[in-house]
Structures are given as structure tokens and as C-alpha cells.
């Protein structure tokens, strides 16, 4: 999350708030183990609301976007919203 938000206008407090919300949601599940996919989905959702460029940075790696067309398609989806 910090790497995705590097050099973006996202404060440390905003990052900590997002991490806290994710941790809280995970604890409310009441499970000893949670698949990493669930955590990743929560992170990507939170970044999408927090900072769209940080979201794209994270999505490139997390969603395995391997070419410019996939990245462009995701940016176009963001612009439509």
C-alpha cells in the first residue's frame, strides 16, 4: 500500500486508516486464516477510493496486467465511473 501511494498526495494517516479498516474487516470475519485474495481485494477496493493512481499502480501488479492495453482498459473503466 505504501509503495502504491509513494509520491502521491496520500498522507500516512490515510494509509493507516485504510489498513485499520482492512484489519477490522478481517477480524470481523472471525476466521483464523483468510485467503490472500480476500486481503488483496480489500486493498484494491480501498485504494480505488483513496487515490486512483495508487489504485492503478497496485492493480498492475495485483491483477497481473501484462500489457498496455489491459492498463488502458482499467483506466477507461475508472474514467467511466
Amino acid at each position: 500500500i505504501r509503495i502504491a501511494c509513494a509520491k502521491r498526495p496520500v498522507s500516512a494517516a490515510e494509509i493507516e486508516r485504510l489498513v485499520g479498516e482492512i484489519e477490522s474487516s478481517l477480524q470481523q470475519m472471525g476466521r483464523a486464516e483468510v485467503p490472500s485474495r480476500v486481503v488483496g481485494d480489500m486493498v484494491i477496493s480501498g485504494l480505488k477510493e483513496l487515490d486512483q493512481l495508487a489504485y492503478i499502480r497496485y492493480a498492475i501488479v495485483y491483477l497481473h496486467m501484462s500489457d498496455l492495453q489491459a492498463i488502458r482498459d482499467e483506466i477507461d473503466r475508472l474514467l467511466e465511473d
Side-chain angles (χ1 to χ4, degrees):
I1 294 174
R2 280 184 172 64
I3 292 170
C5 293
K7 297 184 181 180
R8 297 294 308 144
V10 178
S11 69
E14 290 172 305
I15 292 171
E16 291 303 317
R17 181 192 51 77
L18 175 58
V19 170
E21 289 173 2
I22 292 168
E23 287 177 344
S24 177
S25 294
L26 292 170
Q27 289 173 351
Q28 288 177 0
M29 290 180 173
R31 296 169 45 190
E33 293 186 24
V34 178
S36 60
R37 182 72 182 187
V38 171
V39 177
D41 289 347
M42 289 178 173
V43 170
I44 205 162
S45 176
L47 284 175
K48 190 173 189 179
E49 294 178 23
L50 186 62
D51 184 272
Q52 290 183 338
L53 286 180
Y55 163 80
I56 289 295
R57 289 176 176 174
Y58 190 86
I60 289 170
V61 176
Y62 182 67
L63 301 175
H64 307 289
M65 294 180 184
S66 58
D67 59 36
L68 289 175
Q69 188 60 48
I71 297 167
R72 183 179 191 151
D73 292 344
E74 190 60 31
I75 291 171
D76 288 343
R77 276 192 285 279
L78 279 175
L79 292 172
E80 288 174 5
D81 292 343

